[in-house]
Amino acid sequence: MAGQTSLSPSVQHIAATPSAQAGAVVEARYNGVMAESDVERMKTEMMSGDAALSVQGDDAFASTVLPRRDAHDDDLDLPFRRAGRAPRIAIVHEWLQVNAGSERVLEQLLLCFPDADLFSTVDFMAPKDRAFLKGKPVTTTFIQKLPAAKKLFRHYLGLMPMAIEQLDLSAYDIVISSNHAVAKGVLTGPDQIHISYVHSPMRYIWDLQHQYLRQAGLGWSLKAIYVRWLFNKMRLWDFSSAQHVDHFIANSRYIARRVKKAYGRPSSVIHPPVDVTAFTIGETKDDFYLLAGRFVPYKRADLVVSVFQADPSRRLVVVGDGPEAARVHAAAKGASNIEFRGSVPKAELVDLMQHARAAIFAAEEDFGIAMVEVQACGTPVIAFGKGGALDIIDTAEDAAPTGILFEEQTVDSITDALTRFDARADAMSPDTCRANALRFSEESFRDRMHAFVRETTGAVV
């Protein structure tokens, strides 16, 4: 009937109780099943409910519709506090396959809470990569035993929400999830505190869905329609499960904004740990710029190469490989000032990082650990001024800067950044760059995580 709002079954279920109506409004608005007039009407109706709403525009609404969680309050009545014992802690990781960025966070979480038990959707990590687990057993989900799961577990994405909800964490007082897909979806009760460290909401089901579908070559085939249907269902679940998390931690201010946009929830920011002790300042700087990383579309390595192809007076050393390798090499057009090294041993890469005049990053990163590693070598960074780079690079005009940011992913913008770098290079000292990197040390991460858990749970950890 005209003028009426037709809610999806999941939204109808959420909206059935007054205390949950606010979440239903946000979910319905995100999925386009409510008109703006209906959103405003439901905001007003909920003023008399228990959601403690304040209608101050959409931004204020998104941050206040959720039930208030005062987990740091002195009156928090948790079983471990009543019993005067140490809390039982569970750590939930997405999946264990390779030792990469999120595993660095997991390693430090296990050092913070060595008695915690570890859970994951699957565990297929090779023995050579799992030393950081120190023999700790891993409890996995039923996906571990599904056909071909070792190689194709990501193909079971549609089953992961159900799988993660089957992990029984009822024996734990504090649950810490390390999330970039479904880990935050574990079920917890009112006597438990769930803290979720978010590397990123699932980009491929939220704002980058269209980009991922294009890159996968999915148009409107039956397979593509299924994938779009699946992503729609995953968005509903992803939003709903986020409402059961007590506290979010984002790995950068950029990811905090993504969490707010996707889930309507505020986040604290604790940057991921970087092993800055593995890097030292190079004694001298050579006259070359460094481009290092995997050749995938969002890194825009071809764009950086094009800049140097057009300016033979500057030398560029390129390290890396990947599916975009042919495109990156083609952008050089055989220019003699561009040297491709391919994949190199870590020691050789560190040496290049130490001696480069500057390193260039053209991607929009969630955080950007490689930028911190370059700074730990005492080397300035020239980076795209979006995402995690804004948290890392100090461009202060009235102090010692550690790099230059450019506004657009274009040849002209990067060329302008190189010119600005030339003008300020003498002010970027190796010691200042390294001091900047030390803010992101593993020790700093552990200190901040300990402090956050103490503040939000009252636990002595």
Side-chain angles (χ1 to χ4, degrees):
M1 182 180 298
Q4 288 188 341
T5 300
S6 176
L7 297 178
S8 66
S10 59
V11 175
Q12 290 174 346
H13 174 73
I14 292 171
T17 59
S19 62
Q21 285 180 341
V25 174
V26 178
E27 179 171 350
R29 181 173 64 181
Y30 270 115
N31 289 281
V33 297
M34 290 185 69
E36 288 299 321
S37 59
D38 294 312
V39 171
E40 296 301 322
R41 173 180 56 78
M42 287 192 70
K43 288 182 189 178
T44 303
E45 290 175 356
M46 286 186 290
M47 288 295 290
S48 59
D50 64 354
L53 297 183
S54 174
V55 182
Q56 302 171 12
D58 284 348
D59 289 342
F61 176 66
S63 64
T64 57
V65 292
L66 304 170
R68 302 291 173 82
R69 292 176 171 85
D70 295 322
H72 62 282
D73 195 275
D74 290 338
D75 295 330
L76 188 65
D77 188 25
L78 295 174
F80 74 90
R81 294 183 65 176
R82 292 197 303 268
R85 60 172 173 78
R88 291 186 288 267
I89 300 176
I91 296 175
V92 184
H93 192 61
E94 292 292 1
W95 46 70
L96 290 164
Q97 183 191 34
V98 296
N99 194 340
S102 64
E103 284 68 37
R104 297 187 190 186
V105 170
L106 175 60
E107 178 181 11
Q108 296 305 311
L109 289 175
L110 292 173
L111 290 174
C112 285
F113 312 108
D115 295 327
D117 291 331
L118 179 58
F119 297 80
S120 179
T121 52
V122 297
D123 177 12
F124 295 119
M125 183 169 283
K128 66 181 179 62
D129 294 328
R130 59 191 306 119
F132 74 96
L133 296 176
K134 295 180 170 57
K136 186 177 287 292
V138 182
T139 301
T140 59
T141 71
F142 66 82
I143 293 178
Q144 179 82 17
K145 298 180 179 180
L146 291 181
K150 186 171 184 178
K151 291 184 178 181
L152 302 175
F153 68 88
R154 288 181 178 83
H155 289 224
Y156 291 115
L157 177 66
L159 293 177
M160 286 185 182
M162 180 174 66
I164 204 72
E165 291 174 352
Q166 304 315 304
L167 293 174
D168 183 1
L169 304 183
S170 57
Y172 299 92
D173 303 293
I174 300 172
V175 175
I176 302 173
S177 58
S178 175
N179 181 85
H180 58 79
V182 299
K184 74 175 187 335
V186 291
L187 302 180
T188 56
D191 287 335
Q192 297 173 290
I193 296 295
H194 181 183
I195 299 168
S196 186
Y197 186 95
V198 180
H199 305 274
S200 175
M202 287 185 276
R203 292 177 289 255
Y204 42 89
I205 69 168
W206 288 102
D207 55 310
L208 297 185
Q209 172 188 287
H210 303 296
Q211 177 181 326
Y212 275 82
L213 292 174
R214 282 196 302 270
Q215 291 174 359
L218 293 174
W220 286 99
S221 63
L222 286 177
K223 179 181 179 180
I225 292 172
Y226 165 74
V227 170
R228 294 169 195 271
W229 173 85
L230 175 62
F231 284 1
N232 175 264
K233 296 302 179 184
M234 291 293 293
R235 277 193 295 276
L236 291 172
W237 176 87
D238 198 36
F239 176 88
S240 178
S241 65
Q243 310 317 309
H244 301 285
V245 174
D246 295 289
H247 301 281
F248 278 106
I249 302 173
N251 71 355
S252 68
R253 290 179 295 167
Y254 173 62
I255 294 303
R257 294 196 300 274
R258 289 178 61 92
V259 169
K260 177 72 176 296
K261 185 71 174 180
Y263 307 143
R265 298 290 306 279
S267 305
S268 299
V269 172
I270 299 179
H271 298 114
V274 182
D275 184 12
V276 293
T277 62
F279 304 89
T280 57
I281 295 176
E283 295 181 2
T284 60
K285 294 295 180 188
D286 296 333
D287 191 22
F288 71 90
Y289 295 85
L290 177 64
L291 171 64
R294 184 161 168 76
F295 297 160
V296 291
Y298 88 94
K299 293 286 189 180
R300 299 309 311 272
D302 59 318
L303 179 63
V304 177
V305 169
S306 295
V307 171
F308 283 81
Q309 187 277 329
D311 184 1
S313 67
R314 301 180 192 273
R315 181 181 168 216
L316 178 68
V317 175
V318 183
V319 173
D321 203 349
E324 290 277 294
R327 182 184 180 91
V328 175
H329 281 262
K333 299 180 180 179
S336 60
N337 61 314
I338 300 173
E339 177 186 353
F340 288 93
R341 297 272 186 103
S343 298
V344 301
K346 182 177 179 179
E348 182 177 342
L349 176 59
V350 171
D351 183 73
L352 290 168
M353 291 162 61
Q354 290 172 328
H355 294 96
R357 191 157 187 253
I360 304 179
F361 296 86
E364 181 178 336
E365 301 282 4
D366 295 336
F367 176 65
I369 287 176
M371 294 184 226
V372 178
E373 293 174 341
V374 167
Q375 296 264 272
C377 292
T379 299
V381 167
I382 300 171
F384 181 41
K386 290 187 70 176
L390 294 172
D391 288 12
I392 298 170
I393 308 306
D394 187 349
T395 61
E397 295 292 336
D398 57 350
T402 67
I404 295 289
L405 299 177
F406 53 91
E407 296 299 318
E408 299 176 345
Q409 291 174 310
T410 64
V411 168
D412 289 344
S413 190
I414 298 176
T415 301
D416 174 70
L418 288 166
T419 301
R420 287 185 285 121
F421 173 76
D422 287 339
R424 303 198 69 195
D426 290 343
M428 301 180 192
S429 75
D431 289 336
T432 301
C433 291
R434 181 166 177 80
N436 181 50
L438 295 180
R439 298 185 294 129
F440 308 101
S441 69
E442 294 173 336
E443 180 181 7
S444 177
F445 175 85
R446 293 194 299 270
D447 288 345
R448 292 173 182 175
M449 282 300 304
H450 273 135
F452 188 90
V453 172
R454 286 195 300 268
E455 174 67 18
T456 55
T457 69
V460 178
V461 292

